[in-house]
Amino acid sequence: MSDNGPIASIVLVASSGATSIQKTLACLKAQTVASKLQVVLSARPSAMDELKAIATSPFHSIKVVEADFTTSARARVPAIEAAEAEIIIFCEDHCFPTSADWAERMIDAHKGGHAAVGPRMTNANPETPSSWANLLIEYGPWVGVEQSGEVELLPGHNSSYKRDALLSYGDALGDMLEVEWVLHRDLREKGGSLWIEADIASAHLNFSIMRNSMKLHLLEGWTFAASRAAKWSWPRRALYAVSFPAIFFVRAIRVSGMILGNPVSRGMVLPTFLMSYFFLAISAAGEGLGYALGEQGSREALGGMEYDRWNNVVAKEKALAFEGDTGLCDPVENHNEAMAG
């Protein structure tokens, strides 16, 4: 970029207009490099005018693009294509930078030539076992990370990439983003490196309503299996469909190690164990259905659950999705550290 261009483009899906992104924007406005950040918002047609009215200051610029909201991966694609900076940082309306140098450190890490850089993850709503179980199942490898370094995978939806690396996938980009570990594996196979930056963190707001969490994991397992087996023969699909109990045990062992290895979850180890196993069993059953029956609309149903996170948290946590000062992110860090103690 020229001296006047942005040094990074923030890609943010605005599922419900300006209201849904107000806290994330507040955290971004407090960044040390805010004036050098371009914010690119993916919008539904009905929210375009509202989002275009957001004041640009203190950012370098704000751009609003119309997007397909069938899934969040598809919603990101036009924003990526519209981004102007060489580095693209994915943000979510329910995941919040916890320090003012979050973006600066993320960008600096890219100077190492990495294809992608991600933060460690913390819990934005740490009061319930269901929230911890959901965080550890989804982001366990990046919770409690103590050292920066090269890794095989990064936190999905919340990492940063070289723009050229993403655009190299052309029309296949949306598919690559649907399951981000596929993208990470491909980037590494092409010679790119992935870097975790332990000195910065993103606080993730997790599902904490039980029935919603159950539906989430059923659909995640179902969608994953249907996508994975789309071109398989029927005998192979049938074999995997009846093997779903083995899927549960393999994942349960992996998640158990994450729970024991991450001190931030030890304040409620037993309930987190039990909740994690319950969700993993539901996910494994979903995989069995996906292998046996195919997609059956599971992708669209799952896509609908990716938005409006406040509908999926217990009542006392709803305000966490909206209340806007970056100072509200700091107690999350403090709470996680208190649990570690």
Side-chain angles (χ1 to χ4, degrees):
M1 298 299 299
S2 69
D3 291 341
N4 295 325
I7 60 173
S9 295
I10 306 291
V11 166
L12 178 57
V13 177
S15 60
S16 295
T19 300
S20 63
I21 58 172
Q22 65 183 36
K23 183 170 181 179
T24 303
L25 282 182
C27 293
L28 293 171
K29 287 177 180 178
Q31 294 301 303
T32 55
V33 292
S35 64
K36 299 179 181 180
L37 299 177
Q38 176 192 41
V39 177
V40 189
L41 303 175
S42 295
R44 302 180 194 271
S46 60
M48 291 286 290
D49 291 341
E50 174 190 359
L51 292 168
K52 287 180 179 179
I54 294 175
T56 298
S57 179
F59 301 117
H60 172 277
S61 56
I62 294 179
K63 185 179 290 188
V64 183
V65 297
E66 187 174 327
D68 172 7
F69 274 69
T70 306
T71 68
S72 64
R74 295 177 187 175
R76 287 186 180 91
V77 171
I80 293 167
E81 294 172 343
E84 299 172 14
E86 296 176 356
I87 296 170
I88 292 177
I89 303 176
F90 289 170
C91 287
E92 294 185 293
D93 61 7
H94 56 273
C95 194
F96 317 114
T98 61
S99 63
D101 62 351
W102 177 89
E104 183 176 5
R105 285 179 176 269
M106 185 96 71
I107 294 163
D108 283 346
H110 271 278
K111 294 177 182 177
H114 308 293
V117 174
R120 63 185 171 88
M121 303 299 288
T122 64
N123 197 337
N125 55 327
E127 301 295 338
T128 63
S130 55
S131 172
W132 277 110
N134 281 313
L135 178 69
L136 291 170
I137 289 171
E138 188 172 3
Y139 289 110
W142 308 285
V143 176
V145 174
E146 296 180 351
Q147 292 187 337
S148 301
E150 288 193 25
V151 291
E152 293 187 358
L153 299 171
L154 289 170
H157 299 180
N158 292 285
S159 293
S160 59
Y161 299 87
K162 295 292 195 299
R163 179 175 180 269
D164 288 346
L166 294 178
L167 293 182
S168 69
Y169 292 101
D171 293 341
L173 178 58
D175 293 332
M176 297 298 292
L177 292 173
E178 290 287 359
V179 183
E180 229 160 308
W181 64 263
V182 175
L183 171 65
H184 296 160
R185 181 181 63 187
D186 193 67
L187 288 172
R188 287 189 293 104
E189 288 176 352
K190 291 177 177 177
S193 58
L194 311 182
W195 182 268
I196 190 76
E197 185 57 47
D199 292 333
I200 57 173
S202 297
H204 194 268
L205 190 67
N206 311 290
F207 278 51
S208 56
I209 296 176
M210 175 66 72
R211 65 181 180 276
N212 299 36
S213 298
M214 293 167 61
K215 182 179 179 181
L216 172 72
H217 290 288
L218 179 71
L219 291 172
E220 283 184 336
W222 193 322
T223 301
F224 169 78
S227 177
R228 183 186 186 194
K231 297 181 180 180
W232 288 4
S233 65
W234 270 108
R236 187 180 183 188
R237 293 180 68 158
L239 175 62
Y240 273 75
V242 298
S243 300
F244 72 87
I247 296 170
F248 162 74
F249 284 112
V250 170
R251 294 192 69 197
I253 292 171
R254 186 182 305 142
V255 170
S256 296
M258 293 176 186
I259 295 172
L260 293 174
N262 289 318
V264 294
S265 66
R266 290 178 187 165
M268 48 181 74
V269 170
L270 180 58
T272 299
F273 263 120
L274 296 176
M275 198 69 69
S276 297
Y277 293 161
F278 180 55
F279 292 156
L280 289 175
I282 293 173
S283 179
E287 286 197 45
L289 291 169
Y291 290 126
L293 302 176
E295 194 167 288
Q296 300 292 322
S298 60
R299 185 180 302 279
E300 287 72 21
L302 178 61
M305 298 191 75
E306 294 183 271
Y307 311 120
D308 302 343
R309 181 57 54 96
W310 52 90
N311 292 326
N312 298 297
V313 299
V314 295
K316 66 180 181 179
E317 295 174 344
K318 288 184 183 293
L320 294 173
F322 301 108
E323 292 180 353
D325 244 357
T326 54
L328 294 175
C329 294
D330 296 333
V332 174
E333 287 281 84
N334 295 338
H335 190 123
N336 290 335
E337 291 168 3
M339 290 189 69

